[in-house]
Amino acid sequence: MLFDRDGTLIQDVPYNGDPARVRLMPHARAAVDAVREWGVPVGVVTNQSGVARGLLTPGAVEAVLRRVEQLLGPFDIWAVCPHVPADRCGCRKPAPGLIHAACAALGTDPRGAVVLGDIGADLAAARAAGARGVLVPNAVTRPEEIADAARTAPDLLTAVRGLPAGAGDAP
């Protein structure tokens, strides 16, 4: 099970490098705990272009990741893209690279992965990787992203509860 970070697990604070500004999204802890209870590996896939833009240092990104883990417990994998869109890398969502990297590190086939995110790029990355995606909209999710999503849920816990137990480990 792979979660987007900003706007999905934690409130989206643009280019946040300050752990003190990390706030969980509603039901994030319960959703992550439920997945862990299934025995399914849990990871995070996140674009962090603030690094390439010079707005964040890798150390600041790492400090925020550590804070997220203080609040939610340890994740099995963190896959982070530090690039800007102009870099045309294969890891920046909506490209599938982060999902492929996370699944490889977890020893699982992307076709058995579920990606939970708040914007269309998260779901596009899931589709491109062969994974299933669930959109958990928030105030910045565009209406067309919601309309295009094959599966949506009003919050993370509902999204997780709507999946079969162990959903992240079988195609």
Side-chain angles (χ1 to χ4, degrees):
M1 187 80 55
L2 301 173
F3 293 87
D4 170 57
R5 190 188 88 172
D6 301 316
T8 303
L9 286 175
I10 63 172
Q11 292 177 6
D12 188 3
V13 176
Y15 308 114
N16 183 23
D18 181 359
R21 297 181 73 193
V22 172
R23 302 285 181 270
L24 295 179
M25 292 296 286
H27 310 293
R29 180 66 197 227
V32 172
D33 287 348
V35 174
R36 287 187 179 122
E37 287 176 17
W38 294 342
V40 172
V42 181
V44 178
V45 290
T46 180
N47 290 344
Q48 295 299 315
S49 68
V51 174
R53 296 174 199 275
L55 302 171
L56 295 171
T57 65
V61 172
E62 181 65 30
V64 169
L65 302 185
R66 283 193 305 271
R67 178 62 181 148
V68 172
E69 288 196 333
Q70 286 174 345
L71 296 170
L72 293 174
F75 287 86
D76 298 297
I77 185 70
W78 282 87
V80 179
C81 173
H83 305 109
V84 293
D87 290 338
R88 300 184 187 272
C89 65
C91 56
R92 183 177 173 78
K93 294 179 287 180
L98 289 179
I99 295 166
H100 286 151
C103 288
L106 296 171
T108 189
D109 187 322
R111 293 174 295 172
V114 177
V115 178
L116 296 108
D118 66 315
I119 61 173
D122 299 320
L123 271 58
R127 275 191 306 274
R132 291 176 284 169
V134 179
L135 185 71
V136 182
N138 60 35
V140 303
T141 310
R142 297 188 323 255
E144 61 270 21
E145 293 173 321
I146 297 168
D148 288 344
R151 186 173 208 156
T152 64
D155 60 66
L156 277 179
L157 187 55
T158 302
V160 167
R161 285 182 175 161
L163 298 169
D169 62 0

